[in-house]
Amino acid sequence: MTTAVDSTRSKRDAPYEGPLLDVRDLHVEFVTRDGVAKAVNGVDYSVRAGETLAVLGESGSGKSVTAQAIMGILDMPPARIPRGEIRFRGRDMLKMGKEERRKIRGQEIAMIFQDALSSLNPVLSVGFQLGEMFRAHQGASRKEARDKAVELMDRVRIPAAKQRVNDYPHQFSGGMRQRIMIAMALALEPDLIIADEPTTALDVTVQAQVMDLLAELQAEYNMGLILITHDLGVVADVADKIAVMYAGRIVETAPVHELYARPAHPYTRGLLDSIPRLDQKGQELYAIKGLPPNLLRIPKGCAFNPRCPRAQDRCRAEVPELYPVTEDDGAPLAGRGSACFFWKETLHDR
Amino acid sequence: MGSYVLRRVLQMIPVFFGTTLLIFLMVYTLPGDPVTALFGEKAADPAVVASIKHQYYLDQPVWKQYLHYMGNLFQGDFGTSFTGRPVSDIMANAFPVTIRLALLAFVFELVLGLALGLVSGLRRGSIQDTLVLVLTLVVISIPVFVLAYIAQTIFATNLGWVTPTVQDSRDLSQLILPAIVLGSLSLAYVARLTRTSIGENLRADYIRTAVAKGLPRRTIVSRHLLRNSLIPVVTFLGTDLGALMGGAIVTEGIFNVQGVGNVLYRAINQKEGPTVVGIVTVLVIVYLVASLLVDLLYAVLDPRIRYA
């Protein structure tokens, strides 16, 4: 980490030991006409350099809102952050000024969105939109920016980058467009990338290619990656650890393979059981009963209790915290936690 | 692109023949005899009427009149009005005045309309936004002639800044007040259209991307937001330029501007076929060219539109 080559950015020279990103007790609310919608209710998670955190959850679970709060791109109002800290390299970004925040965006934390077609400006060429990163943050000239855009397009393996740099987003295929989004996020070699459902809008075959590319580049630049998805299949290969969100809270955290093998929360259980399996042809597909809660009226106690097969009176009265999950003999399981009073029973449930 | 323009120009030919024929028939079916009307209260000598009718080809069946008119038109002759003045001469006097008036009104609605729309669109719900909404609503609900009289009363009678009516139609400064009155309705539409468009695009995904890229707000608005938001506004402005050229009859009448609107109004009253047809034909062509330019500008603004 002491190379003189990469001295353009001083932060690279200062080693930082703690986690890259540390979210603590984050709350996000939206003020609507019908009341206050509590989208995020005390989320904690952290990401280290080179690590991939997958955030799993249904729509409305608060996974994207958390990401947008980290990115600083929430519309405030209607959104507001009543409590919490978002520490990036140890500094709370929520306490920074607007301009300082803006300089972090794109340069140190970048984001990839779900639908590349609508997320790219339809009237500007992709070369321009890529080059803009260098012009806005590094004061590059038009010519330099264009050259760097071609380089980036080569990096994400877009064929004939030089000929295509002046093309517009609608002239690319879905997979190529998402590659452009990735290239844009990578442009300034950020420390952290947040990918919000990066492959949801793509064909299955293209999904794998894009995911592989993302994982490869992440390893190469040693970036932290937050992968937001509702697709359990996508995360299995690339993620190091998983945080499962429900109604704005993290209900379970675990290293990826342990979560698949032994879930410790009934909700995670339900999610895993609802994956279609080839060896169960003809059987009815399992679905978690009921609907995700209305964020204006989150149920008392554990938010999952109305849908939970294990729910007891206690679940309807008390909110469970994220308990550390251990083996039966009390041996700790690193990185595991479950916000269920009955995590022990769930763990054995097979 | 070239073949597209060519096709559009070729399309103008049937439109040209259609409108001229239509206008010709309309003037022909107007009740009353224009030549007898020339004599007013006096009894007309049938021989004189017949000779005038013959002179203006009015004693022929309508299809012959039309062919005769078109034949002359292609030789550059727009015909002669009943006062004996060539129609081309009348138009050469009236059109420059109207063009000036229309351009003044156009610049007024373009600059102020866009500015107001941008301010209110970017700050929805603010005092400025509410003010723009109320003002434009007032302008839209008031008929143009009322607006004209109010403007006359305030700026001419009370303040004395201008004369109530235009003394010299070739003087640009005297045309400013009529131009503001003429452009005010479109200004209100431009402001509201821009506001809506800005508001919609502000919520678009690509604006969120631009914010996430860490671009300064100024860059986001000028480079990403404005260009996308202007596409519907440009359509309106383009067609409105054509409408301003022909639609100034009321304003020109109230302010005594000697432009196309005034001349056309008089010509219709006196059933002067050649003048009416001549002016309307030119207006139709102006309108067609304006809409062609809008379509071409469209392709410049939005690369997704390509003409082949």
Side-chain angles (χ1 to χ4, degrees), chain B residues 19-43:
Chain B
T19 27
T20 45
L21 181 62
L22 223 58
I23 299 297
F24 210 92
L25 289 176
M26 282 179 184
V27 176
Y28 182 82
T29 48
L30 281 177
D33 182 355
V35 181
T36 327
L38 282 178
F39 291 88
E41 297 292 302
K42 287 186 283 180

Side-chain angles (χ1 to χ4, degrees), chain A residues 68 71 73 102 105-106 113 118-124 128-129 132-133 135-137 168 170 181 184, chain B residues 204-209 211-217 219 223-225 227-228 231 301-304 306:
Chain A
Q68 286 173 15
M71 209 56 206
I73 56 172
R102 176 180 75 75
R105 281 200 287 271
F113 296 98
S118 66
S119 296
L120 290 165
N121 192 326
V123 304
L124 298 172
F128 184 92
Q129 294 185 62
E132 207 173 26
M133 299 295 284
R135 292 177 65 191
H137 289 285
Y168 292 89
H170 70 276
M181 285 302 286
M184 202 182 293
Chain B
D205 285 353
Y206 63 83
I207 293 296
R208 188 184 58 185
T209 309
V211 178
K213 282 161 89 173
L215 303 178
R217 186 173 164 81
T219 315
R223 218 180 270 158
H224 290 266
L225 181 61
R227 196 164 147 193
N228 280 289
I231 294 171
L301 282 173
D302 190 343
R304 284 168 297 183
R306 281 280 172 269

